[in-house]
Amino acid sequence: MRNHRVVLTRSLAGVPDAGDFRVVDEPLPEPGEGEFLVRHIYLSLDPYQRSAMAGRHMLGRQPLVAGDMPAAETAGQVVRSRHPAYGEGDYVRHFGGWQEYGLSTGERTERVDTSLAPLSAWLGVLGMPGLTAWASAIELAGVHAGQTVLVSAALGPVGSLVGQLAIQRGAEAVGIAGSDEKCAIVTREFGFCACVNHHRDGFLEALRAALPDGADIYHDNVGGQMLADAFSVLKVNGTVILCGLMERYNDPARSKPLDLALPIMKRAVMKGLVVSDFEHRRPVFEATVAAGIRAGQIRYREDRAAGIGQAGAHFSRLMRGENLGKALVVLGPERALGT
Amino acid sequence: MRNHRVVLTRSLAGVPDAGDFRVVDEPLPEPGEGEFLVRHIYLSLDPYQRSAMAGRHMLGRQPLVAGDMPAAETAGQVVRSRHPAYGEGDYVRHFGGWQEYGLSTGERTERVDTSLAPLSAWLGVLGMPGLTAWASAIELAGVHAGQTVLVSAALGPVGSLVGQLAIQRGAEAVGIAGSDEKCAIVTREFGFCACVNHHRDGFLEALRAALPDGADIYHDNVGGQMLADAFSVLKVNGTVILCGLMERYNDPARSKPLDLALPIMKRAVMKGLVVSDFEHRRPVFEATVAAGIRAGQIRYREDRAAGIGQAGAHFSRLMRGENLGKALVVLGPERALGT
């Protein structure tokens, strides 16, 4: 048996492309005492990985160089175990990285219940992006009935759930997305009352038209000009959740700074969100969202590629904003015929 | 009787200097029906007036040009009245502008009680700067015992009161000011436990040394690099009150923008403050602070110049940060011998 993992061919500059990555073939690692080997079935691709690769994220303070493997969450199945708490066949989520197999000591690893929701959902709507949305809408913004929530990157796994959680609580959601196709999905599948394409001329006017009374809450995944535009439709005393800086992940030098006069003039409350602070809320988040999925109230969408060799190209697609939903690479069948 | 008022000799660029202003001599205006004439005793000079003169402030959306008189609050005495609610001898505060006499219809005018505190205090510690400090420390930050509050422009009328209100509530205050002389006043007169001179080399290290456990609250009068430095000593989940942008009042083009990664990494709550939102809190603010002054718990410091002809030079001093306390121009005696 062999493992295939993806490494950088060079340090990244700007938007990554497939040529920045190559696949390395190597022997399958053997679990030592207290370790187990996970066959990765799904590899999670997320925008924060771009800044982590550049050494600009909490999860990665050193830039990756040629030969380094990007870190990432994966969902998979234990295939060999020398760990007392994990046995062969267990489905788990862990920080396995961009590879087909990964060792775990149990650290940063959770068993996942595939009877509650499909395995891949534990990387998206029930995973880190989902918990991020929960932290934003429920914990930090405290959205309630009658409010209007504006959500950037509204088709993504965070934004789409922020809007749906708001709707579930009796609020209205207005989305921002990067194409008419995305906007159509945001309104039809996710129930947002409107969605504005920020790549169209007249974006700000369209945003104002979609929010005649303004927004109570803005969930910001982007920063930059979009944050400035959002302030122009934010109600006085509105809330802004600072969650992501997608605008700068590819190239921080091109970042447009926030004019602090905007939050002052709007008497805004801005709150910085770091998802790891909300681990203690995971049980209520998982129970609520899993129930919402089963009841058909909460939907999610995945943007899949197949095979470890596609990871680089699929990540490039994500960082160009072309994905339609949670970006995943399928690395193997959910039920293996034998390892 | 003549009135003297100050007008701009040219549109402002950068730090104002005395030559940007000249005094105009004109006849005393006569109050019409429903108006009254106020003899200005104190003219309030405040940093926000610089951005108002440039058309960049809520109170002034058009840049002033040569011949325009700057707006400002004044404290004075009614000398002629054709208004039913105001009589000769009444002490009032109103938006009289940079001149010796001003007409009022009663709008944006309040009678002030000089038995509670001296007339000049109603422009500073009991005026707009004082209410700003109250809004920051009490209303928005909700400071309480055991916390540590970091205050920029700590010798100014806003900063010095933010710190003293925090101390009154059982918190500790650490100041930032622009000279060793200012810092000595901040600690000796206002009871801050420490004050750091931001013009000294090693400012950030000194700030860290003054806040070994970090700050729970940062009151920001400045923006720019000082805000970035403050984030480096802010505790996780700390609060930042965005109150002023002194860094940019003279020259917005030189402004250093906020890196939004800082509030995200600190899970900060940032709140924009506009003092006019807190008019309804003026009674409790005035009662509490006036009592504090009488009890010797709250102190204030004034930086005075004498005569309308000094207004421009004194404003220049303020905008160079050389003032030691609330900037005022004394325009006449508190009790006139006769008008």
Side-chain angles (χ1 to χ4, degrees), chain B residues 54-169:
Chain B
R56 295 189 304 260
H57 191 271
M58 291 180 167
L59 289 177
R61 286 292 184 209
Q62 291 296 320
L64 298 195
V65 296
D68 287 343
M69 178 182 73
E73 276 198 308
T74 58
Q77 195 169 28
V78 177
V79 289
R80 277 170 224 168
S81 180
R82 297 180 66 190
H83 190 289
Y86 291 87
E88 286 179 30
D90 288 354
Y91 286 103
V92 297
R93 176 177 58 200
H94 80 140
F95 261 86
W98 287 31
Q99 58 182 340
E100 291 177 329
Y101 291 86
L103 289 174
S104 173
T105 61
E107 208 186 339
R108 299 183 79 181
T109 303
E110 302 102 33
R111 203 178 273 97
V112 298
D113 185 346
T114 53
S115 71
L116 277 179
L119 182 60
S120 63
W122 294 92
L123 293 175
V125 67
L126 282 167
M128 181 277 289
L131 184 59
T132 303
W134 179 274
S136 174
I138 308 299
E139 306 289 338
L140 293 182
V143 60
H144 55 75
Q147 291 190 311
T148 300
V149 181
L150 177 64
V151 183
S152 55
L155 179 53
V158 179
S160 60
L161 187 57
V162 168
Q164 291 179 92
L165 289 169
I167 293 164
Q168 217 181 27
R169 294 232 167 167

Side-chain angles (χ1 to χ4, degrees), chain A residues 58 61 223 227 237 242-245 248 257-261 263-265 267-274 276-277, chain B residues 58 61 223 227 237 242-245 248 257-261 263-265 267-274 276-277:
Chain A
M58 292 180 166
R61 285 291 183 210
L227 177 56
N237 293 313
L242 300 174
C243 179
L245 296 167
R248 71 162 73 162
L258 174 64
D259 178 358
L260 287 175
I264 293 178
M265 285 190 294
R267 293 81 154 155
V269 175
M270 292 189 286
K271 298 182 179 184
L273 189 162
V274 175
S276 56
D277 295 346
Chain B
M58 291 180 167
R61 286 292 184 209
L227 178 55
N237 292 312
L242 300 174
C243 179
L245 296 167
R248 70 161 73 162
L258 174 65
D259 177 358
L260 287 174
I264 294 178
M265 284 190 294
R267 294 79 155 156
V269 175
M270 291 189 287
K271 298 183 177 183
L273 189 162
V274 175
S276 56
D277 295 346

Side-chain angles (χ1 to χ4, degrees), chain B residues 273-296:
Chain B
L273 189 162
V274 175
V275 62
S276 56
D277 295 346
F278 298 90
E279 278 301 325
H280 64 293
R281 303 298 283 161
R282 212 184 260 279
V284 64
F285 148 69
E286 288 181 352
T288 308
V289 172
I293 293 170
R294 284 195 304 278

Side-chain angles (χ1 to χ4, degrees), chain A residues 4-302:
Chain A
H4 298 99
R5 62 188 177 90
V6 177
V7 299
L8 264 66
T9 57
R10 56 198 170 216
S11 298
L12 296 186
V15 180
D17 67 54
D20 290 324
F21 304 92
R22 68 184 174 87
V23 175
V24 176
D25 173 279
E26 60 182 20
L28 206 60
E30 270 300 321
E33 186 58 38
E35 292 184 331
F36 52 95
L37 182 68
V38 182
R39 179 178 67 87
H40 298 157
I41 298 168
Y42 297 105
L43 165 65
S44 182
L45 299 179
D46 301 279
Y48 81 84
Q49 293 171 14
R50 177 64 185 84
S51 42
M53 290 178 204
R56 296 189 305 262
H57 191 274
M58 292 180 166
L59 290 177
R61 285 291 183 210
Q62 291 296 320
L64 298 195
V65 296
D68 287 342
M69 177 181 74
E73 278 198 308
T74 58
Q77 195 170 27
V78 176
V79 289
R80 277 172 226 170
S81 180
R82 296 180 65 190
H83 189 291
Y86 290 88
E88 285 180 31
D90 287 354
Y91 286 103
V92 297
R93 175 176 60 200
H94 79 142
F95 262 85
W98 288 30
Q99 57 183 340
E100 291 177 327
Y101 290 86
L103 288 175
S104 172
T105 61
E107 208 186 340
R108 301 183 78 183
T109 303
E110 302 101 34
R111 202 178 273 98
V112 297
D113 185 348
T114 54
S115 73
L116 278 179
L119 183 61
S120 63
W122 294 91
L123 293 176
V125 67
L126 282 168
M128 181 277 291
L131 184 59
T132 302
W134 179 273
S136 175
I138 308 300
E139 306 288 339
L140 293 182
V143 61
H144 54 77
Q147 291 190 311
T148 301
V149 181
L150 176 64
V151 182
S152 56
L155 179 53
V158 179
S160 60
L161 186 57
V162 168
Q164 291 179 91
L165 289 170
I167 293 163
Q168 215 181 27
R169 294 232 167 167
E172 285 201 329
V174 172
I176 299 170
S179 73
D180 290 348
E181 181 190 10
K182 288 181 176 184
C183 276
I185 298 169
V186 165
T187 51
R188 282 184 215 151
E189 285 189 26
F190 298 130
F192 286 50
C193 64
C195 182
V196 185
N197 174 357
H198 64 85
H199 282 138
R200 271 197 183 272
D201 288 345
F203 164 64
L204 188 54
E205 292 67 32
L207 195 59
R208 288 188 174 128
L211 288 156
D213 300 319
D216 298 280
I217 296 163
Y218 171 55
H219 173 90
D220 185 33
N221 276 320
V222 178
Q225 183 60 45
M226 200 176 291
L227 177 56
D229 290 342
F231 268 109
S232 79
V233 294
L234 190 73
K235 288 185 189 176
V236 168
N237 293 313
T239 297
V240 174
I241 306 300
L242 300 174
C243 179
L245 296 167
M246 237 178 270
E247 172 239 17
R248 71 162 73 162
Y249 287 160
N250 286 313
D251 184 359
R254 290 182 51 217
S255 175
K256 183 188 153 80
L258 174 64
D259 178 358
L260 287 175
L262 298 175
I264 293 178
M265 285 190 294
K266 285 295 170 79
R267 293 81 154 155
V269 175
M270 292 189 286
K271 298 182 179 184
L273 189 162
V274 175
V275 63
S276 56
D277 295 346
F278 298 90
E279 278 302 323
H280 64 293
R281 303 298 284 161
R282 211 183 262 278
V284 63
F285 148 69
E286 288 181 352
T288 308
V289 172
I293 294 170
R294 284 194 305 275
Q297 291 174 341
I298 288 178
R299 297 179 179 200
Y300 60 96
R301 194 177 172 103
E302 295 174 343

Side-chain angles (χ1 to χ4, degrees), chain A residues 42 118 120-121 302-306 314 317 326-330 334:
Chain A
Y42 297 105
S120 63
E302 295 174 343
D303 191 71
R304 294 180 169 212
H314 205 52
R317 170 179 163 88
K326 172 73 191 94
L328 293 173
V329 183
V330 186
E334 292 215 10

Side-chain angles (χ1 to χ4, degrees), chain B residues 174 193-196 202-214 232-233:
Chain B
V174 171
C193 64
C195 182
V196 185
F203 164 65
L204 188 54
E205 291 67 33
L207 195 60
R208 287 187 175 132
L211 290 156
D213 301 319
S232 79
V233 293

